[in-house]
Amino acid sequence: MSEPTEPTVLTPMLEAARTASLALAGATTLQKNAALQAIADALRQNVPAIVEANELDRTHGRENGLAAGLLDRLMLDESRIEALASAVTAISGLTDPVGEVVTGSSLPNGVKISQVRVPFGVVGAIYEARPNVTVDIAALALKSGNAAVLRGGSAAENSNRVLVGLIQQALASVGLPAESVQTIDPFGREGAALLMKARGYVDVLIPRGSANLINTVVAESKVPVIETGAGVVHVFLDESANAQWAEDIVHNSKVQRPSVCNALETLLVHEKAADRLLGPVLGRLAASGVTIHGDERVQAAFPGAVPATEDDWSTEYMSLDLAVRVVGSLDEAMEHIRRYSTRHTESIITSDVVNAERFLNEVDAAAVMVNASTRFTDGGEFGFGAEVGISTQKLHARGPMGLPELTSTKWIVRGMGQVRV
Amino acid sequence: MSEPTEPTVLTPMLEAARTASLALAGATTLQKNAALQAIADALRQNVPAIVEANELDRTHGRENGLAAGLLDRLMLDESRIEALASAVTAISGLTDPVGEVVTGSSLPNGVKISQVRVPFGVVGAIYEARPNVTVDIAALALKSGNAAVLRGGSAAENSNRVLVGLIQQALASVGLPAESVQTIDPFGREGAALLMKARGYVDVLIPRGSANLINTVVAESKVPVIETGAGVVHVFLDESANAQWAEDIVHNSKVQRPSVCNALETLLVHEKAADRLLGPVLGRLAASGVTIHGDERVQAAFPGAVPATEDDWSTEYMSLDLAVRVVGSLDEAMEHIRRYSTRHTESIITSDVVNAERFLNEVDAAAVMVNASTRFTDGGEFGFGAEVGISTQKLHARGPMGLPELTSTKWIVRGMGQVRV
C-alpha cells in the first residue's frame, strides 16, 4: 500500500481529489466536454468578478515591488479572459485520449490483452503569478480525466480563488464533483511542500515557471515530476550552410519570441563559414536589437559584439541577447552542445547530407533539427492542439506534450478460465 | 545545464559511462548482437572462474549468517551459468527498439517531423545478492543501447566482479567500450547513495529486490526511478462465478509460483457465492499446502482457516498463505481493492457482463483481468521476449516492461529553410 500514513492539513483536500478522480475516470467525453463548455461560459459571464480579484492581486504585487514583467503576467482583463475561455473551448474540441487502445493482441492460449489509456488520477501543478495557468491546467486535466490540485502562488491568490470557484460551480452544474479542481494557495509555502510529498495521493506533479522553481520541485518532490525545463538552444551554421536559410532561421529562432524556451540562445559558426555568414546573420540580428555576446573571432568579425564570458555559454537569456562562437568543425560544435545544452532543441544549417545525418543521430535533445527554426518545437506547431508543456526529461514524455502525455495506461486482460502452464 | 558540479568518488566511472553511452547509442544492432554473443561465449568459457568467485561469496555469506533463501539466490553453478548465457543469446534475438519510428507527420509548411526511439543513455541498477541480475540487466541495457552502472551489493561482490570483467572483455573484443558496463560494488553503500544522487549522469535507475530496497530507492533517489513494486494481488469471485474457473484460476494464481509479484495474495468472495465456492476453492488450496487466513465468515465455512488480522489485507506473503474475505457486493470488493491494492494485478471471476465491464473500468491497476489467472501479468506471457520487470508506477511504463521501456524518444525535424510565422 502506497498511502501516506501521517495526515497533514492537505489530507482532506487530497482525499477529496482522489475521490473526484474516480468519478472523472468514469466520465464520458460528452460529460467532460459539457464541463469545459460550462467553464468557458462561466469565465465569460464573470469578467467583473475576475477582474476585481485580479486588481487586488496586482495592487498587492505593486506594494510588494513585483517586477513589471511579473505584473504583466499576473494581469487579467476582458480580452485575456476571453482568450482563456476560447482556449477552454478549444480543449473541449480535442480528441479525448482516455480509452484509446495503444496496442493489443491475442495470446496463444486465447487470452485477449489490450493496453488502454487511462487518466493518471490526480495531477498536481506548482506555478507562480500566472492565473491563466490555473484555467489552462484545470481544463487539460479535466479533458484527460484527471483531478487537479493547484498551487498557483500567493501573488495570484485572489485571482486563483475566484477562477477555481467558477470552475467548481461549472463542474457541479454538469454533475461532476466540484473537488475535481482545487487550489491549495491558502496553505502557502507549507502547502507546496506538502504537495511535493503527497506520494500516493498525487500521481504526477507539473511545475511551470522559472528555472529556479522547476529545479526546486525536481530536487524536492517525492511525487513523480514531469519536468518542463529550460532551453539553452543552439543553432550550428555548418561550412556549407545556405546563407539565406542561415539568416532567416537564426533571425526567426532568436527574435520571433525571445522569452520562450525554444528560442535560440547560442549560435555556433563553422570557421570556414565565418567570413561568409557572420556579417549578414549578425547584422540582421543587430538590426532587430539583438546584443551579440561573441568570442574573440566573432568580436573581430563583428565589431558590435560584446565579449562573451564562460557563463554566456550556459545562459538562457530569454531576451534579445545571443551568444556566438566560432568552432573548427562539426565535432567541435557537437562537443560544445553536449557540454552546455539543456537538451531541449538543437538545429544544424547545412547542405551536407553526411553532416546533417551525423547531427541528427549524435546530438541528444528532445528535438534535433536540420535546416529548420528552433521555434518549431511546440505542441501547436506539431499539431497536438493543446500545449501541455515541453518536456526536457527522458522518462514518460520528451519534447512537446499533448493530452496523451497526461495519461497512463493499463492492461485489460479477458479470459475464459485460462491459467498459466 | 544539468551536470552535477561537485565531483565524487563515482565521477570518473560516471563520466566513462556517459562517454561509453555515446558509442552505444551509435552502435548498430549487428554490433550490439555481436557483443551479446561474445558475452554468452565468455560466460560458457569461464565457468570455473565464475564458480570459484561465487563460492567465495557464498562462504562469506554463510559466515555472515545469510538466510538459506538468499544463499540459494546467490548461487551460480554450471547449469545456472548456462541458463544465463542462453538468456543473453535470447536477448540478442529480440527486436532492437532503437531507431523505431513511433509516429511522424508532415507539417502544413512541409517540415517533416518524426519521433524515434533512442537509448536513455546511462541506466543504473541497484539490487542485492543476485549475480544473475548483473548479466541480465547488462544484456538488456546493451541491446537497448544503454550503458549500465551496476550496484549488486557486497554479498555478491566477487561474483559480480568476475562477471563484469568478462562482460567488459567481451565488449572490448567487438570494439565497443569496456566501460559500457561497470560495477560500483567496491564503493559499498556510499556508492549506492552516490548513484541515487547522480542526476545528469544516470538517466534512469532500476531497483530490483525486496520491497524494502525498492522503497528506499524510490524515497531517496534524485534520479528518475522505474519502480518494479510489490504485488498485493486480488481475485474476486463474483456471485455468478463459474465454479470450475474459480477453482482453477485461484489455485493457479496462488500456487503455481507463490514467491513472485503476480501471485495471488487476497481472495474476495461474494457472500451469495460463499456457500457454493468457499468449500471447493479453499479445499483445493489446502490440499496444495496453502494456509488460509480468513475473516469470520470464512472461518465458519472452512474450519481449517486461521483468523485474518488487519495486517493480512495488506501483506504480500510471497508464500503458500492466502488472505480470504467475504464481501457483500462488487462495490465492496472494489472498495477493498482500492484500499489495500498495490495496483499490480486484479482479477474478477464472473459470468455477468456488466460486473465484468465495471471491474475492468473502475479498478485502477497495471493489469485488470476477467476470468484469467493473475500469473499472466508477465513480459514473457505478454509476448515481449525479455523480462525487464513489472512497473507499478503510472509514469513512463506500467505493467510488464519490454526493451522499448528501456528507451526514450527524440523528435527528428527536417526542413528546407522553414521559419515559424
Side-chain angles (χ1 to χ4, degrees):
Chain A
M1 217 92 138
S2 55
E3 207 161 324
T5 45
E6 300 208 0
T8 71
V9 292
L10 282 195
T11 304
M13 294 181 71
L14 295 171
E15 294 273 11
R18 206 160 59 168
T19 302
S21 77
L22 300 176
L24 284 174
T28 63
T29 307
L30 291 173
Q31 284 177 296
K32 295 186 286 187
N33 287 349
L36 292 168
Q37 199 47 58
I39 291 169
D41 293 345
L43 292 172
R44 291 188 172 110
Q45 287 156 11
N46 290 277
V47 169
I50 299 169
V51 168
E52 188 185 340
N54 185 253
E55 277 173 354
L56 197 58
D57 284 331
R58 286 191 292 140
T59 302
H60 292 164
R62 276 187 292 268
E63 287 165 7
N64 296 329
L66 213 59
L70 286 174
L71 277 173
D72 178 62
R73 278 216 305 246
L74 186 54
M75 195 266 279
L76 291 178
D77 58 13
E78 180 157 8
S79 77
R80 287 192 181 182
I81 295 166
E82 172 55 36
L84 273 176
S86 298
V88 172
T89 304
I91 288 169
S92 87
L94 294 176
T95 301
D96 188 341
V98 175
E100 183 200 343
V101 179
V102 179
T103 184
S105 65
S106 182
L107 304 186
N109 59 9
V111 168
K112 309 284 189 295
I113 65 172
S114 56
Q115 186 184 35
V116 300
R117 287 207 178 281
V118 295
F120 275 127
V122 178
V123 171
I126 297 184
Y127 49 99
E128 31 186 33
R130 301 183 187 203
N132 60 310
V133 172
T134 301
V135 176
D136 190 36
I137 294 265
L140 293 165
L142 287 172
K143 180 76 192 206
S144 52
N146 295 292
V149 179
L150 307 172
R151 151 71 181 172
S154 54
E157 187 170 346
N158 293 292
S159 310
N160 290 335
R161 191 189 60 248
V162 170
L163 290 169
V164 169
L166 292 170
I167 291 169
Q168 292 186 330
Q169 285 171 32
L171 284 160
S173 76
V174 300
L176 286 174
E179 295 77 12
S180 301
V181 177
Q182 298 177 90
T183 170
I184 60 164
D185 284 349
F187 298 103
R189 286 175 182 277
E190 188 198 356
L194 290 170
L195 189 64
M196 289 192 269
K197 289 185 189 134
R199 221 181 147 83
Y201 284 112
V202 177
D203 294 290
V204 61
L205 195 55
I206 302 176
R208 280 250 192 125
S210 66
N212 201 16
L213 175 131
I214 291 168
N215 288 338
T216 302
V217 173
V218 167
E220 295 185 7
S221 181
K222 302 291 185 194
V223 173
V225 171
I226 295 183
E227 187 178 352
T228 53
V232 175
V233 167
H234 299 78
V235 167
F236 170 52
L237 304 182
D238 195 15
E239 181 181 354
S240 63
N242 175 306
Q244 190 62 50
W245 292 1
E247 215 184 282
D248 291 348
I249 288 171
V250 170
H251 188 268
N252 184 256
S253 298
K254 178 73 252 181
V255 173
Q256 200 212 17
R257 201 167 166 207
S259 65
V260 293
C261 60
N262 60 20
L264 175 64
E265 304 294 4
T266 297
L267 176 67
L268 302 171
V269 184
H270 194 292
E271 60 185 7
K272 291 187 181 160
D275 287 345
R276 181 169 64 92
L277 297 177
L278 277 179
V281 168
L282 302 187
R284 178 137 164 229
L285 290 170
S288 293
V290 175
T291 301
I292 306 298
H293 304 251
D295 70 2
E296 286 184 8
R297 284 189 280 187
V298 171
Q299 292 171 59
F302 191 79
V306 301
T309 66
E310 174 63 22
D311 279 351
D312 281 298
W313 311 124
S314 48
T315 297
E316 186 183 22
Y317 298 112
M318 311 199 92
S319 62
L320 287 174
D321 290 82
L322 180 70
V324 186
R325 180 175 210 167
V326 173
V327 295
S329 64
L330 170 64
D331 283 294
E332 196 182 324
M334 293 197 295
E335 180 52 38
H336 179 102
I337 290 170
R338 248 194 302 282
R339 185 146 171 218
Y340 297 104
S341 169
T342 54
R343 318 210 185 289
H344 185 295
T345 299
E346 312 297 345
S347 185
I348 183 175
I349 315 303
T350 189
S351 301
D352 182 305
V353 73
V354 172
N355 288 358
E357 293 304 307
R358 281 198 60 202
F359 192 87
L360 291 175
N361 289 337
E362 296 176 31
V363 172
D364 179 30
V368 194
M369 305 182 165
V370 52
N371 295 329
S373 168
T374 61
R375 293 275 296 121
F376 285 121
T377 305
D378 176 88
E381 293 292 316
F382 276 19
F384 298 168
E387 178 59 30
V388 180
I390 297 172
S391 166
T392 51
Q393 66 184 28
K394 291 185 178 177
L395 223 61
H396 184 70
R398 197 176 193 202
M401 292 188 287
L403 281 175
E405 279 70 38
L406 283 184
T407 65
S408 182
T409 57
K410 73 178 176 189
W411 287 95
I412 300 290
V413 179
R414 296 174 192 266
M416 296 276 276
Q418 286 93 335
V419 297
R420 188 163 163 185
V421 289
Chain B
M1 228 330 249
S2 54
E3 207 161 324
T5 45
E6 298 209 1
T8 71
V9 292
L10 282 196
T11 304
M13 295 181 71
L14 296 171
E15 294 273 13
R18 205 158 62 168
T19 302
S21 77
L22 300 176
L24 284 174
T28 63
T29 307
L30 292 174
Q31 284 177 293
K32 294 186 288 188
N33 287 349
L36 291 168
Q37 200 46 59
I39 290 169
D41 293 343
L43 291 172
R44 292 189 173 110
Q45 287 156 12
N46 291 277
V47 169
I50 299 168
V51 167
E52 188 184 341
N54 186 251
E55 278 173 354
L56 196 58
D57 284 330
R58 285 192 293 139
T59 302
H60 291 164
R62 276 187 293 268
E63 287 167 6
N64 296 327
L66 214 58
L70 286 174
L71 278 173
D72 178 61
R73 276 216 306 249
L74 187 53
M75 194 266 280
L76 291 178
D77 58 14
E78 181 157 9
S79 77
R80 287 191 180 182
I81 294 167
E82 173 54 35
L84 273 177
S86 298
V88 172
T89 304
I91 288 169
S92 86
L94 295 176
T95 301
D96 188 342
V98 174
E100 183 200 343
V101 178
V102 179
T103 185
S105 65
S106 182
L107 304 186
N109 59 10
V111 168
K112 308 286 189 295
I113 66 171
S114 57
Q115 186 183 33
V116 299
R117 288 208 178 280
V118 294
F120 275 128
V122 178
V123 171
I126 297 185
Y127 49 99
E128 25 184 41
R130 302 183 185 203
N132 59 311
V133 173
T134 301
V135 176
D136 190 37
I137 294 263
L140 293 165
L142 287 172
K143 180 76 191 207
S144 51
N146 294 294
V149 179
L150 307 172
R151 150 71 182 170
S154 54
E157 188 170 346
N158 293 293
S159 311
N160 290 336
R161 193 190 60 247
V162 170
L163 290 169
V164 170
L166 292 171
I167 291 168
Q168 292 186 331
Q169 285 170 32
L171 284 161
S173 76
V174 301
L176 287 173
E179 296 77 11
S180 301
V181 177
Q182 298 178 89
T183 170
I184 60 164
D185 285 349
F187 298 103
R189 285 174 182 278
E190 189 199 355
L194 290 171
L195 189 63
M196 290 192 268
K197 290 186 188 131
R199 225 184 143 81
Y201 284 113
V202 178
D203 294 291
V204 62
L205 195 55
I206 301 176
R208 279 251 192 125
S210 67
N212 202 15
L213 176 132
I214 291 169
N215 288 338
T216 302
V217 173
V218 166
E220 295 185 7
S221 181
K222 301 291 186 196
V223 173
V225 172
I226 295 183
E227 188 178 350
T228 54
V232 176
V233 167
H234 300 77
V235 167
F236 170 51
L237 304 182
D238 196 14
E239 182 182 351
S240 63
N242 175 306
Q244 190 61 52
W245 292 1
E247 216 184 282
D248 291 347
I249 288 171
V250 170
H251 188 269
N252 184 256
S253 299
K254 177 72 252 181
V255 173
Q256 200 213 15
R257 201 168 166 207
S259 65
V260 293
C261 60
N262 60 20
L264 175 62
E265 304 294 3
T266 297
L267 177 67
L268 302 171
V269 184
H270 195 293
E271 61 185 7
K272 291 188 180 159
D275 289 345
R276 181 170 63 91
L277 297 177
L278 277 179
V281 168
L282 301 187
R284 176 136 166 231
L285 291 170
S288 293
V290 175
T291 301
I292 306 298
H293 304 251
D295 69 2
E296 287 184 8
R297 284 188 281 187
V298 171
Q299 293 170 58
F302 191 78
V306 302
T309 65
E310 174 64 22
D311 279 352
D312 281 299
W313 310 124
S314 49
T315 297
E316 186 183 23
Y317 298 111
M318 310 199 92
S319 61
L320 286 174
D321 289 84
L322 180 69
V324 186
R325 180 176 210 167
V326 173
V327 295
S329 63
L330 170 64
D331 283 294
E332 198 182 322
M334 293 197 294
E335 180 53 37
H336 179 102
I337 290 170
R338 246 193 305 282
R339 185 147 171 219
Y340 296 106
S341 167
T342 54
R343 317 211 187 289
H344 185 296
T345 299
E346 312 297 345
S347 185
I348 184 175
I349 316 303
T350 189
S351 300
D352 183 306
V353 72
V354 171
N355 289 358
E357 293 304 307
R358 279 197 62 204
F359 192 87
L360 292 175
N361 289 338
E362 297 177 30
V363 172
D364 181 28
V368 194
M369 305 182 164
V370 52
N371 296 327
S373 169
T374 61
R375 293 275 296 120
F376 285 121
T377 305
D378 176 89
E381 293 292 317
F382 277 19
F384 298 169
E387 179 59 29
V388 180
I390 296 172
S391 165
T392 50
Q393 66 183 27
K394 291 186 179 177
L395 224 62
H396 183 70
R398 196 177 194 202
M401 292 188 288
L403 281 175
E405 279 70 38
L406 284 183
T407 65
S408 182
T409 56
K410 73 178 177 189
W411 287 93
I412 300 289
V413 179
R414 296 173 191 267
M416 296 274 278
Q418 286 92 338
V419 298
R420 187 163 163 186
V421 289

